[in-house]
């Protein structure tokens, strides 16, 4: 399903509510649990690794990892590149 959020689509969705799909709900719960456990475990692993190898530069900082961080970072980098590449043109 698309993530369409126009007022017309939202009103149509509200007028056509159905029963939640328990399998999809369990799937979302499982994904959240996996993301949390993986993020906690890998954050700890890489923080300990980088503190052992780059302790002076890292100090007490944490090197965070999360499955959602990479797509979010991509959006930020993509937008930054678009801004850097922007060439203004006269409007009038």
């Amino acid at each position: 399903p698309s993530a369409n959020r126009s007022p017309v689509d939202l009103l149509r969705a509200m007028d056509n509510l159905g029963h939640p799909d328990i399998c999809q709900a369990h799937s979302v719960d499982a994904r959240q649990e996996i993301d949390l456990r993986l993020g906690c475990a890998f954050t700890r692993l890489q923080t300990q690794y980088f503190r052992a190898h780059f302790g002076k530069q890292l100090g007490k900082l944490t090197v965070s990892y999360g499955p959602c961080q990479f797509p979010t970072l991509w959006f930020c980098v993509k937008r930054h590149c678009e801004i850097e590449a922007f060439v203004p043109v006269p409007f009038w």
Side-chain angles (χ1 to χ4, degrees):
S2 68
N4 199 342
R5 294 184 184 96
S6 71
V8 172
D9 292 318
L10 289 173
L11 289 172
R12 185 180 309 128
M14 291 299 292
D15 288 337
N16 295 294
L17 293 176
H19 294 285
D21 181 345
I22 193 68
C23 292
Q24 288 186 20
H26 287 316
S27 175
V28 170
D29 289 343
R31 177 62 192 259
Q32 287 176 338
E33 186 75 21
I34 290 167
D35 287 353
L36 176 63
R37 289 177 186 239
L38 177 64
C40 290
F42 199 69
T43 293
R44 183 169 188 232
L45 173 73
Q46 68 183 7
T47 297
Q48 289 176 344
Y49 174 84
F50 285 113
R51 279 188 184 158
H53 290 84
F54 305 101
K56 289 182 182 176
Q57 294 97 329
L58 187 61
K60 293 187 177 191
L61 294 176
T62 299
V63 183
S64 179
Y65 170 83
C68 296
Q69 291 174 336
F70 291 107
T72 303
L73 178 60
W74 178 83
F75 287 123
C76 294
V77 170
K78 182 177 181 279
R79 183 65 180 139
H80 173 76
C81 292
E82 290 170 353
I83 291 168
E84 290 292 312
F86 178 75
V87 178
V89 293
F91 185 73
W92 298 107

